[in-house]
Amino acid sequence: MPHTNAKYRIDVLYHMDWVRLERCTGMYDMPVLERERYVPASLTALNEAMRLERRNTGVHFFIDDYQFERFWTRPTVYVQKMKEFECMLTPDFSLLTDMPEPMKLWNVFRSRLIGQHFQEQGCRVIPTVSWAEPASFRYCFDGLPAQGTVAVGSIGVHRDPVALAA
């Protein structure tokens, strides 16, 4: 049965064509990332990295979400660009302690899905792991490979006593 225009637009908006449940794990069907054991010598924020002539660095997303939301809304624009860098970290969508749980789950899911997709396109991807409070431990590690390199950001945590204690 062909997609209706509305159904197709929704599938594209949420990247449903990327989701394959056989490549997901956990209670919340988080996309699984392949193990990467690479450690870059340096990292550059996405917004600065796009202006570099020499791209001998990894790209990180430890910046305000609005500066990389475009990675979710128009990912195909960035695949070739990310291949030019040594590696990329998965987007670090915010997990805030005062955020409703479904929003935190969605942000982890989006990060994993983008990472999985970019790996499939030939990019070297290092997963970023973050959490908000102990309850977020139920899903914040889902989809991460065992014994691989991961990036952990502390932005926001150092200002939040609840997150810092977790």
Side-chain angles (χ1 to χ4, degrees), residues 5-165:
N5 286 340
K7 168 76 167 104
Y8 176 77
R9 285 192 306 272
I10 290 169
D11 284 355
V12 169
L13 178 67
Y14 294 112
H15 305 302
M16 290 300 296
D17 56 327
W18 296 0
V19 177
R20 288 185 310 288
L21 291 178
E22 69 274 7
R23 298 235 15 242
C24 294
T25 191
M27 180 188 311
Y28 302 105
D29 293 325
M30 289 295 173
V32 174
L33 298 174
E34 298 295 323
R35 179 174 62 193
E36 181 60 65
R37 290 191 170 175
Y38 182 76
V39 178
S42 65
L43 291 170
T44 304
L46 174 71
N47 52 350
E48 296 171 18
M50 292 292 107
R51 295 189 296 259
L52 295 176
E53 285 184 35
R54 292 187 60 218
R55 297 190 172 190
N56 57 342
T57 185
V59 177
H60 75 77
F61 294 77
F62 298 126
I63 53 180
D64 291 329
D65 291 23
Y66 77 88
Q67 294 185 63
F68 61 84
E69 187 65 31
R70 59 193 165 153
F71 229 77
W72 175 255
T73 57
R74 296 181 37 213
T76 55
V77 170
Y78 298 98
V79 171
Q80 285 308 118
K81 291 177 183 179
M82 288 298 103
K83 286 181 179 181
E84 296 174 16
F85 291 93
E86 289 183 13
C87 67
M88 63 176 273
L89 307 185
T90 56
D92 186 42
F93 294 107
S94 293
L95 302 182
L96 306 174
T97 55
D98 59 348
M99 206 179 245
E101 206 68 20
M103 291 176 76
K104 291 183 269 192
L105 276 162
W106 175 241
N107 280 346
V108 172
F109 181 85
R110 293 193 306 158
S111 178
R112 299 290 190 279
L113 189 60
I114 287 173
Q116 187 183 74
H117 179 72
F118 276 72
Q119 280 182 333
E120 290 171 352
Q121 302 305 309
C123 296
R124 177 182 277 157
V125 176
I126 297 173
T128 300
V129 61
S130 52
W131 54 86
E133 69 284 316
S136 65
F137 293 170
R138 289 189 319 269
Y139 53 85
C140 72
F141 301 104
D142 285 354
L144 299 179
Q147 300 179 353
T149 303
V150 297
V152 179
S154 61
I155 295 174
V157 172
H158 65 276
R159 287 182 248 145
D160 188 332
V162 175
L164 189 59

